[in-house]
Amino acid sequence: MWSSNTNMNGGIKDSDKLLKLKYPTLSIQSLSNYLLALHTKLRDQSTNTQEFVKYSNKLVHSLLEYTLSILPADYYDIKTIQTPCNVPFQGCSLISSISYNNNNTDNTMNSQLNLCGISIVRAGESMEFGLRSLIPDIPIGKILIQRDEFTQNKQAKLFYTKLPMNITQAKQIFLMDPMLATGGSCILAIKTLIKLGVTIQQITFINLIACPEGLQRVYAKYPQLKIVTSFVDQGLNEHCYILPGIGDYGDRYFGTVTP
Ligand code: PRP
Ligand code: URA
């Protein structure tokens, strides 16, 4: 049996420390016992669809909060407010997703896109609600990519894209997919964005479960890509599924296969 190699005080696995040394732009969320308990529920084959959605939402919310917490300072504006005790409090606020050059919010030609999300459909859609709950006005584009289950290496195929109009101006694009297995889907999504004029510096790939093979393949192609993940698993099986893994995330989240 593979162990998650965490002690009950939580923290960073030894294998993660090495990965972070190897890939400087990789961020792995520190694993508290609470997060480990959520992973345990989510990965359990006896967890039904309703529970899977519940635990997925909790983990995604926590991962997205972690992502926002490690954004550099220039994503925040200094802000002073008055507390109910009538005392000023100097804090900050996350820059808006969209800023407008005038007060006419319908005039999209005068708007600047600062932050946006893109989900890799289907499983990536499970992260949209969490992103919107943290940043309510964030535009969310979609890239439909599916692994071809009939190819030996589960080659990723692109079917459809629908993206915010001024995407090349975005300060940061949160590309979302809960699973990073062979890396094929992530690479194809990034290739699609780069073809449109987006730079690799503009992209943060947000992912729930990764594996060493996927990280290696993605970083070999895009060493500067920022990846934020909740957990790096042991590796892939002969069918390119992550082990210990979770099974097919999209099927489990959308209830297209029941336990
Ligand atoms: C899954 C998952 C990722 C991809 C990861 O999608 O959601 O997009 O596989 O695998 P990779 O790193 O080997 O490309 P899948 O194609 O099964 O579609 P789904 O989201 O509809 O389940
Ligand atoms: N996609 C999934 O949903 N699960 C895996 O283990 C690999 C790819």
Side-chain angles (χ1 to χ4, degrees):
M1 188 191 68
W2 185 73
S3 144
S4 62
N5 189 20
T6 48
N7 58 45
M8 289 307 281
N9 297 318
I12 296 181
K13 293 185 267 140
D14 290 344
S15 52
D16 288 354
K17 286 184 193 153
L18 292 174
L19 286 170
K20 282 157 76 91
L21 281 176
K22 200 166 163 191
Y23 309 121
T25 55
L26 172 66
S27 302
I28 306 173
Q29 192 176 12
S30 178
L31 195 66
S32 63
N33 291 329
Y34 174 65
L35 287 184
L36 183 58
L38 293 181
H39 267 277
T40 308
K41 276 286 193 186
L42 196 70
R43 290 158 181 267
D44 188 337
Q45 59 173 250
S46 69
T47 294
N48 66 27
T49 306
Q50 200 181 351
E51 287 177 319
F52 190 91
V53 170
K54 180 171 92 180
Y55 294 113
S56 164
N57 289 346
K58 285 176 189 278
L59 272 168
V60 165
H61 193 270
S62 161
L63 178 66
L64 291 169
E65 280 200 323
Y66 170 62
T67 306
L68 296 184
S69 77
I70 58 174
L71 278 178
D74 62 340
Y75 285 83
Y76 290 86
D77 290 325
I78 290 175
K79 184 173 181 179
T80 304
I81 51 95
Q82 293 291 122
T83 70
C85 305
N86 233 358
V87 177
F89 174 86
Q90 195 175 55
C92 67
S93 67
L94 184 64
I95 57 164
S96 297
S97 299
I98 305 169
S99 46
Y100 297 94
N101 296 336
N102 57 30
N103 290 331
N104 177 7
T105 52
D106 290 333
N107 190 348
T108 49
M109 297 311 286
N110 284 335
S111 64
Q112 161 73 42
L113 184 65
N114 291 318
L115 295 172
C116 84
I118 295 178
S119 63
I120 300 181
V121 179
R122 192 182 40 153
E125 288 179 304
S126 66
M127 303 172 77
E128 292 178 1
F129 175 77
L131 186 62
R132 271 272 163 79
S133 74
L134 292 172
I135 313 175
D137 68 342
I138 194 163
I140 297 180
K142 292 184 188 254
I143 301 184
L144 171 52
I145 290 173
Q146 295 280 287
R147 302 205 309 176
D148 183 347
E149 298 298 331
F150 297 106
T151 55
Q152 203 189 351
N153 59 356
K154 309 290 178 206
Q155 205 185 332
K157 290 198 169 154
L158 173 69
F159 291 91
Y160 170 85
T161 57
K162 186 78 182 177
L163 302 171
M165 197 170 56
N166 37 2
I167 187 127
T168 55
Q169 296 161 16
K171 195 170 159 77
Q172 202 56 217
I173 297 167
F174 297 133
L175 179 63
M176 301 181 289
D177 192 328
M179 304 302 279
L180 176 67
T182 66
S185 304
C186 173
I187 288 172
L188 185 52
I190 292 171
K191 252 190 210 162
T192 307
L193 293 174
I194 285 178
K195 244 190 219 164
L196 295 172
V198 169
T199 65
I200 199 69
Q201 288 80 5
Q202 285 173 280
I203 306 173
T204 300
F205 180 62
I206 309 179
N207 160 260
L208 216 52
I209 301 177
C211 64
E213 295 91 326
L215 289 170
Q216 162 103 35
R217 187 160 164 219
V218 172
Y219 274 124
K221 189 133 184 79
Y222 301 115
Q224 292 170 297
L225 176 69
K226 295 178 286 299
I227 299 182
V228 182
T229 191
S230 174
F231 210 103
V232 182
D233 271 25
Q234 181 188 6
L236 295 177
N237 69 10
E238 68 276 25
H239 304 296
C240 300
Y241 271 82
I242 297 174
L243 296 181
I246 210 160
D248 188 303
Y249 202 100
D251 277 345
R252 295 195 70 189
Y253 188 92
F254 291 106
T256 40
V257 165
T258 48

